Amino acid sequence: MGLLERCRELFHTSNLYEVLGTNKEASEADIRKNYYKVSLKVHPDRAPDDPQATEKFQVLGKLYAVLSDKEQRAVYDEQGLVDEESDVLSQDRCWEEYWRLLFPKITVQDILEFEKKYKGSDEEREDVIRLYVQHEGDMDAITASALCSSQEDEPRLCRIIQAAIKSGEVEAFRAFTKESQAKKRARRKRADRERVEAEEMQKEMGLGEDEESLVMMLKKNQQSRERNFNSLMSDLEAKYSQKGTKPQKGKKAKK
């Protein structure tokens, strides 16, 4: 299965830009930033309940490799096709190592600090509105995709969307304005179940409720991974870190 087909299967769109929540006019920096935003949501350590998280993470790596390559991006922009035979996609590459070559590591505490600044910011508002339009008001998809959010944040996200609808900035999608109580209850039930699982894990590890304990828990979870990969990379890397060493490209595949 080719990259575009895998994107459609995993992200419900074969448009590489839509997967990253951006568009064809996006700059290299925007592509880089959005790649890390989406990667954060699907990284196996941050999405343990998603059985497809690892595959999504790998597909995102390939997607970024295409859009960060000028020749590959030009072909895709002009023809809507991806050269599956090019070295960008055909070589046997570890996408976690690719990630580490692109960006330096940051601490879990850095991520927590970023989340504090992100919540309530203009950037969060723009992201929420974009997700609302992209998913046509489906709150299940919006809450699953929103960065740095939990069930407790849903009322706040709804207020952002409601204000945008009232101002005429966006269309009032029926999926949002007429969402059934049953669907809302099902979403809360899922969130409650996930919260209980997280609390049980925290108790098993003998940790408290403060932020320091949260950092310790995340670090320990990270260290337990056989791949020993910094699992908690975030949008902070894309926004504030200097560019890391760019992976070397192999020879271009013949057309």
Side-chain angles (χ1 to χ4, degrees):
M1 186 180 294
L3 178 60
L4 299 183
E5 289 77 12
R6 294 181 75 189
C7 285
R8 180 182 294 110
E9 178 183 354
L10 296 170
F11 299 101
H12 310 295
T13 177
S14 60
N15 186 306
L16 302 187
Y17 294 107
E18 288 185 0
V19 173
L20 297 184
T22 186
N23 54 54
K24 195 173 181 178
E25 286 69 42
S27 66
E28 181 180 346
D30 289 334
I31 295 293
R32 182 184 179 90
K33 168 184 171 181
N34 283 30
Y35 164 54
Y36 274 96
K37 275 191 175 183
V38 180
S39 295
L40 175 65
K41 300 167 192 170
V42 302
H43 192 282
D45 282 349
R46 290 297 298 268
D49 297 323
D50 185 352
Q52 295 181 313
T54 297
E55 186 177 2
K56 288 178 180 177
F57 183 79
Q58 293 170 345
V59 169
L60 283 173
K62 291 184 177 184
L63 183 157
Y64 179 71
V66 170
L67 293 185
S68 62
D69 183 287
K70 291 183 178 180
E71 293 184 16
Q72 289 292 317
R73 184 176 178 180
V75 170
Y76 176 72
D77 286 351
E78 293 173 6
Q79 304 177 28
L81 303 174
V82 171
D83 183 4
E84 301 286 349
E85 300 301 320
S86 70
D87 284 353
V88 170
L89 295 180
S90 64
Q91 61 182 305
D92 186 15
R93 171 181 283 168
C94 174
W95 295 104
E96 292 181 353
E97 290 181 0
Y98 177 74
W99 179 302
R100 282 189 283 180
L101 284 171
L102 282 169
F103 289 88
K105 295 180 179 179
I106 62 172
T107 68
V108 175
Q109 188 63 45
D110 289 333
I111 295 174
L112 294 175
E113 289 299 324
F114 169 73
E115 290 182 354
K116 289 181 181 178
K117 295 178 181 178
Y118 178 78
K119 288 185 176 181
S121 67
D122 290 340
E123 181 179 5
E124 182 191 42
R125 179 186 180 280
E126 292 174 359
D127 288 344
V128 171
I129 297 304
R130 174 182 57 78
L131 289 171
Y132 169 76
V133 173
Q134 178 181 340
H135 298 294
E136 297 184 347
D138 183 349
M139 282 302 294
D140 281 353
I142 294 169
T143 54
S145 302
L147 186 66
C148 304
S149 68
S150 64
Q151 176 64 27
E152 288 71 22
D153 294 297
E154 183 172 330
R156 182 171 57 81
L157 301 184
C158 286
R159 288 195 294 272
I160 292 174
I161 295 171
Q162 289 164 350
I165 293 175
K166 185 176 181 180
S167 68
E169 181 180 354
V170 294
E171 177 184 348
F173 290 112
R174 183 179 178 81
F176 177 79
T177 60
K178 301 296 184 180
E179 185 180 34
S180 69
Q181 291 301 315
K183 188 175 180 181
K184 293 179 180 179
R185 286 194 297 271
R187 187 163 57 249
R188 285 195 295 269
K189 187 175 181 179
R190 287 195 301 272
D192 290 341
R193 183 171 62 251
E194 292 170 0
R195 182 166 51 250
V196 169
E197 291 172 354
E199 290 173 353
E200 290 176 350
M201 177 186 293
Q202 195 167 3
K203 290 178 181 178
E204 289 175 2
M205 298 175 68
L207 301 178
E209 299 294 333
D210 59 6
E211 184 173 272
E212 181 177 356
S213 293
L214 173 60
V215 174
M216 291 172 61
M217 181 177 69
L218 292 173
K219 285 185 176 179
K220 186 165 184 178
N221 181 55
Q222 171 187 358
Q223 292 167 355
S224 69
R225 293 279 174 172
E226 292 181 359
R227 293 186 297 271
N228 193 29
F229 174 63
N230 182 19
S231 64
L232 296 174
M233 292 288 192
S234 75
D235 183 50
L236 184 62
E237 294 172 323
K239 286 179 64 63
Y240 301 114
S241 67
Q242 295 180 349
K243 289 187 178 181
T245 303
K246 201 164 187 177
Q248 294 184 349
K249 300 175 185 175
K251 295 180 181 179
K252 296 294 179 183
K254 294 180 180 180
K255 304 293 183 183

